[in-house]
Amino acid sequence: PVTARRPASSHGPARTESAARRSTGAMGAAQRGQGTLIVLMCGVSFAVISLIGLAVPLIPAVLEGLDVPAAEAVNAALMSSFPTAMLLASPVANWASGRFGRHALLRSGLCLTCAATVLLGLAPRLSCGEPVSACLLLLAARALQGFGAAASNLAVFAIIVEAFQANLGTVMGLNEIAIGVASTTSPVAGALLYRTAGFEAALFAAAALVALMLPLAAFTERAQAQAQVREALLARDASAAPVALAPRRPSCGELAAPRLLLAAMGLTVAMGLFGVCNGILVVHLHRLGLDDAHAGVTYGLFSLAYAVAAPVAGLASDHWRGCRPLADGQLSKERYQDVMALGLALSGVSSVALGLGPLVGSADDGRMRRWGYELAALSAMGMGQAAALIPSLAAVKAGAPAGVEESGGRTDAIVTLYNVFMQVGLASGPLLGAACSATLGFETAMMVVGAVCIVYAASVACVRCLEEPPSRMDAAAPGRFELRRGSTVYGADLVPPPSRVSRWRKLRNTAALMPRRRRQEGPVPALAAVPAAE
């Protein structure tokens, strides 16, 4: 069926001026609301990553004070419980988002994270110093932190995905800057707070940081509600278009298309490389005879390279036309996957270079020369990881099947899959790194992980070379294209066409719109069918 829209001038001059004022106000409010959303996203990411970074110095210290037997195994369990809880809670958070709404899920996740952080700080006191009870309370608190982080992350990223359709890569680059700052500063801040104020005070400060996000989340919810009211008024002024029924919420299984799974596997590989490096790099540096100061410089340089490359990777993924661009300068949706593959290729080569470190120097001869060589390799790896992770959410979204209708439920399911695959890599990376390092050694482990990254990048290149070149009509959303005449745009809702629209179907759809336009405005010149903007 074809839906015609009346021009705004038919409502009269006064109503036209009112609609123009509402449109101008809506544009300004939308810009302010987008800035608030970016601040909220960066704040939530900073708070969540700070909880992970604070645990690095605090948990081993409190376990040592409690005289816990098998402290290393307990420490590993407590560290992995956070990402494991996020992995298990992501599907539940997806259901809760559809049942209660994203903003309610965001508030609940922040409150749960704040309460769990306070419980983590009080665990030694509540257990009265008994090691087993303290470990159980610490484990429960870490799991609750993961549940709250999963809820808040899914809610805020789903809001961001729908608010920034055209420049999602750039926005995610800003988010990764906040993550890089948090991962760099939180371990140092945790160690300083523990030495000066104690275990409880450090975690109470972290809980306060999470609580600061609640007023910002409430302000964002109010701003979005006002924007929806303005959009409804503008739609009433513009036309009397029929109200569409709410689309059905798709499940995660319906969106698990091969291209989406390919992008999600790249996300798992990149996060796994992060986990492997973080788990065994400090031990390797100590074996070389380097102290904690050198290890801090190493991690700081890696984080600096990642933070510097993050906005560049975001801009490149949004504006690069991709390895196989569309005709007429259009951007290909697969450009996000291309940037991910290039980033993983660079990370893989850097990881292999770390494995070749014995050729440069050893702990006995050329130790500082080898450290400088590894700093260069880790800097290149940080840049590669930025290029691999910044466009990952946009690549997963672009890989979703086109037949599923665009809706809030579709976005929630995409973000759920994104969180699941990310936490799989984050939880399994340290365990695999420790196992490979114990059996094969640091050098061999890094070469194996680098080979996996290179193989993934080569697989993406093969898929991109073997697939059929994209056409101009593939850039349009399925079942929707626009007909332009001068500055006026008339929309036509059609049955979803095949991947290649025939010339006869273009002419038939154009002709279907002309009789109604003739009745309204008289003779209409020939209309040219062009695809809608991506």
Side-chain angles (χ1 to χ4, degrees), residues 212-232:
L212 286 176
M213 297 299 107
L214 287 170
L216 188 59
F219 177 79
T220 304
E221 181 180 8
R222 184 186 307 171
Q224 284 206 325
Q226 293 174 353
Q228 291 175 358
V229 172
R230 291 190 184 95
E231 290 178 359

Side-chain angles (χ1 to χ4, degrees), residues 11 16 24 73 109 140 146 164 167-168 178 186 234 252-253 289 309-310 318 320 381 457 479 491 519:
H11 297 291
T16 303
T24 304
F164 299 92
N167 54 348
L168 183 59
S186 56
L234 288 174
C252 294
D318 280 334
W320 184 40
M381 183 186 293
R519 288 196 299 269

Side-chain angles (χ1 to χ4, degrees), residues 385-404:
Q385 288 294 93
L389 291 174
I390 299 304
S392 58
L393 179 55
V396 171
K397 179 179 181 293
V404 180

Side-chain angles (χ1 to χ4, degrees), residues 31-420:
Q31 292 176 356
R32 293 191 298 271
Q34 285 186 343
T36 307
L37 285 177
I38 293 176
V39 174
L40 176 64
M41 175 192 64
C42 294
V44 171
S45 297
F46 185 88
V48 171
I49 298 301
S50 295
L51 295 178
I52 299 175
L54 287 172
V56 173
L58 293 180
I59 289 181
V62 74
L63 292 179
E64 183 180 355
L66 293 171
D67 293 330
V68 176
E72 292 184 359
V74 175
N75 182 39
L78 290 174
M79 289 296 183
S80 62
S81 60
F82 187 93
T84 303
M86 289 190 67
L87 172 64
L88 297 177
S90 292
V92 181
N94 180 31
W95 170 84
S97 177
R99 179 67 177 83
F100 303 105
R102 293 172 184 165
H103 290 282
L105 180 65
L106 177 60
R107 292 194 304 270
S108 302
L110 291 174
C111 291
L112 180 58
T113 304
C114 183
T117 306
V118 173
L119 177 61
L120 185 66
L122 295 175
R125 178 180 297 185
L126 294 176
S127 63
C128 299
E130 205 278 323
V132 177
S133 301
C135 290
L136 292 177
L137 280 176
L138 291 172
L139 185 63
R142 288 287 289 171
L144 290 176
Q145 278 185 330
F147 292 154
S152 56
N153 275 0
L154 186 142
V156 74
F157 283 134
I159 295 171
I160 288 295
V161 166
E162 289 197 346
F164 299 92
Q165 297 282 347
N167 54 348
L168 183 59
T170 304
V171 174
M172 293 303 294
L174 298 175
N175 181 65
E176 293 298 329
I177 293 177
I179 290 177
V181 173
S183 61
T184 304
T185 59
S186 56
V188 179
L192 291 177
L193 287 173
Y194 180 78
R195 292 177 182 176
T196 56
F199 180 75
E200 292 182 2
L203 288 170
F204 290 169
L209 177 63
V210 176
L212 286 176
M213 297 299 107
L214 287 170
L216 188 59
F219 177 79
T220 304
E221 181 180 8
R222 184 186 307 171
Q224 284 206 325
Q226 293 174 353
Q228 291 175 358
V229 172
R230 291 190 184 95
E231 290 178 359
L233 293 175
L234 288 174
R236 186 192 66 183
D237 291 336
S239 64
V243 179
L245 296 178
R248 182 181 62 86
R249 291 179 63 88
S251 64
C252 294
E254 296 179 44
L255 297 177
R259 192 176 295 279
L260 183 146
L261 294 178
L262 183 63
M265 288 174 59
L267 173 63
T268 302
V269 171
M271 293 304 299
L273 178 58
F274 256 138
V276 169
C277 284
N278 288 334
I280 64 179
L281 185 58
V282 174
V283 178
H284 163 69
L285 293 175
H286 288 169
R287 286 175 182 172
L288 285 180
L290 301 174
D291 55 10
D292 291 336
H294 292 84
V297 172
T298 303
Y299 276 101
L301 187 60
F302 178 84
S303 301
L304 178 63
Y306 184 89
V308 170
V312 179
L315 289 172
S317 61
D318 280 334
H319 300 287
W320 184 40
R321 295 178 60 190
C323 294
R324 303 183 69 180
L326 299 174
D328 297 338
Q330 295 180 4
L331 298 177
S332 172
K333 288 185 177 180
E334 284 74 23
R335 67 187 185 275
Y336 299 110
Q337 182 71 70
D338 297 341
V339 175
M340 281 187 68
L342 292 175
L344 278 173
L346 179 58
S347 297
V349 172
S350 304
S351 182
V352 172
L354 284 175
L356 299 176
L359 300 178
V360 179
S362 62
D364 300 326
D365 183 21
R367 178 176 57 191
M368 299 306 294
R369 183 170 64 251
R370 180 173 177 179
W371 182 53
Y373 168 80
E374 290 184 350
L375 285 179
L378 286 170
S379 299
M381 183 186 293
M383 297 178 186
Q385 288 294 93
L389 291 174
I390 299 304
S392 58
L393 179 55
V396 171
K397 179 179 181 293
V404 180
E405 186 176 357
E406 291 282 351
S407 63
R410 182 178 188 269
T411 302
D412 292 342
I414 289 172
V415 177
T416 300
L417 291 172
Y418 171 82
N419 282 336
V420 166

